[in-house]
Amino acid sequence: MLHMQNLRKVFRTALVETHALRDLTLDVKAGEFVAVTGPSGSGKTTFLNIAGLLEEHTDGVYELDGIDVKKLDDDARSRLRNEKIGFIFQSFNLIADLDLYDNVDVPLRYRGFPKAERKRRIEQALSRVGLGSRLHHYPNELSGGQQQRVAIARALAGEPKLLLADEPTGNLDTVMARGVLELLEEINDQGTTIVMVTHDLELARRARRHVHIVDGQVVDLAEHDFAPVRAVERVRAVA
Amino acid sequence: MEIRPILSSMKRNPVAAVLIAAQIALTLAILANVLFIVTERIRTMAIASGVDEPNVFVLGNQNIGNTRDPVIANEEDIKAILAIPGVLAASPGFSFPLVRDGWQTAVTLTPGERIEGPERAAALYFADERLLDSLGAKVIEGRYFTPGEITPFKQGDQPNPPVVLINKGLAERLFPGESAIGKMINITGNQGEPSQRVIGVTEHIATPWPRSRNPDRVVFVPHASVGLGGFIVRTEPGERDRVMKVVEETLFKVNPNRIVSNIRAFEEIRSSAFQSDLAMAVLLAVIGISLLAVTAFGIVGQASFWVTQRTKQIGTRRALGARRKDVLRYFQTENALIALIGITIGSALAIGVNGWLVQNFGFDQLPLSWLPIGGALVLILGQLAVLGPALRASRIAPAIATRSA
């Protein structure tokens, strides 16, 4: 699903060159639920942005579902992003002036689905996250957990192969976070690949695989396990 | 197209959109009327005089002392002017196209016919045997006056000749679809039997009053207006300026007891006739352009604010699959929708403003076809104004979506 090899990302200004990712190599198979952790400034967000085609990498290979994204222009990247990836953001990123129906509709419109098909998908996605009866409510009428559910519905409505979650419970209390996590697990059980960037080790523990990034590199990979003690300590120190 | 979500979003935050729409409405209401008035003025300024303008000049002349017989004095003066090399024709005259001074009468066809009303009005031109030639105009049907038909016309006389010429515009109004030659008309305004026979029709020649409702209705009477004003002179091409320089001296040689004044090329008469129109057109054009600029800056300002305010939202849309052109289109559609609301209200306002101008200041009625023209102009302006901010929005990186602030 996701193949990254010797991926590098360098931010250049007139005075300084910052290496956000250094030869990062990672493969994520279809159907996996991968948690990506790392201290602040480790390159997690850069990794997520590149994985989600929100930013271009400087060097190396990145193939998404077998497509080498380096060769794509901006329009093609947008199209691929729309078709293959669903995003869940830490602060939900719902559009405050649109009701839930129209919020979930945003990526579907860009896909060019006919109206009836969009309606079906929107209703189905919102029902799936338990908000099927609140189609015409606005985001500010919902709790944080419900807003994140809307964001998940928006991500799911396009039936993406890959779900990228950026600190999906970062702005939620424990109960709401648990609900969102359970929903993600359910989605993963139904076959959608999930890559989740998080600071929260409890959350990372729930993923089926844990990837730790430090200084722009994957320092270790552990399946159903924590990262090596040293890395965990470092994360705790930052947290 | 995202029309419904955009409208729904506007409904949630209507203030800025309403302000812009109101500004557009006011702009259209004023602009449509301004454009119409300016165009009317330009059209008035472009009116054809029927005169060979590049080669014609006029001058004022007043003999002093009353020692000479005005008819003889006139003949001597004309003879002297005609003797200047380069002069083709010269006539006495104080009234001619665009000069905004002259005689007007009512033309009727039957006894007892009403003489009031602009539809019966026509200008009177006092013609000697060369007037048409002096103006550079031609007879298109019938004939011109013979020397025997011409009589002198002095202060206090009333024109009541047996024969007249009329111009094409008057001929078409009086006798539509038939020849005017031989027809009888009444130009005396006495509501009696028609007593003037039409012997010729000239090509278009304008009245002295370019802003009158009927600026193309003229009657030529065979009276040489002696001692009543001045002369109209036509020269060979390229000779006019030279002749204008020597004409005064020539006339003084004939008789020094005179005042020669206002030697003016015909272009000067035209520009002076339309001076106020030009001033009004320029002033209104400046107001119109300023108004458009203010509206455009308003749209740029508001759209720029919206782009800044929605940076995160735009990044999110990009992350969810919007292409740059989708973002561009979003802002352009939003602007077009606001503009269309403004144009709808503005069209009604424009009609209202025009109604007020018609009622209080005698303006012409704004043709409804001007509203879509004005509307299109405002719409294009809006699209151009929003283009800069929209392009800026389209360049917002999708990675903005993952920034927490």
Side-chain angles (χ1 to χ4, degrees), chain A residues 49 74 81-82 93 97 102, chain B residues 4 13 317-318 320 401-402:
Chain A
N49 285 347
D74 192 75
R81 197 157 59 223
N82 181 270
N93 292 21
D97 296 333
D102 285 334
Chain B
R4 197 186 53 75
N13 287 301
R317 285 178 180 274
R318 293 276 283 130
L320 297 177
T402 56

Side-chain angles (χ1 to χ4, degrees), chain B residues 10 48 57 80 151 157 169 172 213 240 278 296 319 384 395 398:
Chain B
M10 269 187 224
F57 72 94
T151 56
D157 291 349
E172 284 170 356
R213 285 190 185 274
R240 186 184 66 187
L278 184 66
L384 289 176
R395 287 193 289 266

Side-chain angles (χ1 to χ4, degrees), chain A residues 65-132:
Chain A
D65 202 23
I67 299 166
D68 184 353
V69 302
K70 190 76 180 171
K71 294 171 183 166
L72 304 177
D73 63 14
D74 192 75
D75 272 11
R77 291 169 70 86
S78 299
R79 209 172 304 120
L80 193 64
R81 197 157 59 223
N82 181 270
E83 285 173 14
K84 306 267 186 195
I85 304 170
F87 282 99
I88 301 167
F89 303 101
Q90 179 176 2
S91 26
F92 326 132
N93 292 21
L94 298 177
I95 297 170
D97 296 333
L98 300 180
D99 63 17
L100 306 195
Y101 186 100
D102 285 334
N103 262 290
V104 177
D105 196 20
V106 171
L108 304 181
R109 278 180 180 270
Y110 296 132
R111 185 86 70 93
F113 285 131
K115 192 178 171 187
E117 172 68 8
R118 295 200 325 260
K119 184 171 185 291
R120 186 187 66 76
R121 283 172 179 256
I122 293 164
E123 287 172 355
Q124 195 179 49
L126 282 170
S127 296
R128 191 170 171 189
V129 299
L131 291 166

